[in-house]
Amino acid sequence: MNDKSPPVGQPTPSIDLGAVQSLRKLALFALGGLAVLILLTGHSLWPDSEDSPHEIIESVGVVLLFVAIAGRTWCSLYISGRKKSEIVALGPYSISRNPLYVFSFIGAAGAGAQFGSLVAAVAATLLTWLVFSVVVRKEERFLAERFGETYLIYKARVPRFWPNFRLWQNVDTLEIRPRMVMQTFIDACVFLAAIPLAEGIEMAQAAGWLPVLWLVP
């Protein structure tokens, strides 16, 4: 089915979902760029040494990055190619309406943690949450206009973000679109760029190429 047009018998929504997603990506890139500029002159309060809070935070952050990549890929098994054509309410979508975004929050926390700072991890998560909170309201309007009462019932039952595991439902077989799943995996791997970026900034600061003007826990 072509996702660019509504299924037969369903109304055409007033919102261009593709444009919303494009704006989401632009906003995230802009905020990410601003964060990097700020972090160029900042450093973790703790020294970058073995067994220090700095290293522990970084290590936990790496785990979060891989959780985000695996989680987003898992979600794509259910949603890829279906978002505009049907209400997906199985697997991760049975316990959260936006599990892909939840895993993005986890990835943002992991990316921020690569700077060895709890503040950076929390700030990255909050900024990502802010962007997705705006986007998801537009998506909800799109889905309500397209699917009507079917979506409203789903919306009333399943939380927007944080999962309710008591609602879990699944199926024995699932039609998968490998190309779209692989694309989601590749896109999610962008989170890993935070590792060399943070290490590069720390090396430049240690060499005196970048000044350290402020410290954060």
Side-chain angles (χ1 to χ4, degrees), residues 107-120:
Q114 294 314 299
F115 294 89
S117 166
L118 289 174
V119 171

Side-chain angles (χ1 to χ4, degrees), residues 27-44:
L28 288 174
F29 277 121
L31 289 173
L34 177 61
V36 170
L37 289 176
I38 294 173
L39 291 168
L40 285 175
T41 56
H43 194 276
S44 171

Side-chain angles (χ1 to χ4, degrees), residues 56-146:
I56 294 172
I57 293 170
E58 282 187 355
S59 297
V60 172
V62 170
V63 173
L64 295 179
L65 291 176
F66 282 103
V67 168
I69 293 170
R72 285 185 59 86
T73 304
W74 173 51
C75 292
S76 72
L77 298 176
Y78 290 82
I79 196 70
S80 291
R82 300 181 177 93
K83 188 168 187 176
K84 297 180 184 179
S85 60
E86 62 182 280
I87 299 297
V88 177
L90 296 170
Y93 291 89
S94 67
I95 58 177
S96 169
R97 300 202 307 274
N98 299 281
L100 271 168
Y101 295 168
V102 173
F103 283 110
S104 290
F105 302 154
I106 294 173
Q114 294 314 299
F115 294 89
S117 166
L118 289 174
V119 171
V122 172
T125 306
L126 290 177
L127 287 174
T128 305
W129 175 83
L130 179 63
V131 172
F132 281 117
S133 292
V134 174
V135 169
V136 79
R137 285 174 170 81
K138 294 184 179 297
E139 291 183 341
E140 288 173 351
R141 180 179 166 188
F142 171 93
L143 294 169
E145 291 178 357
R146 171 159 289 191

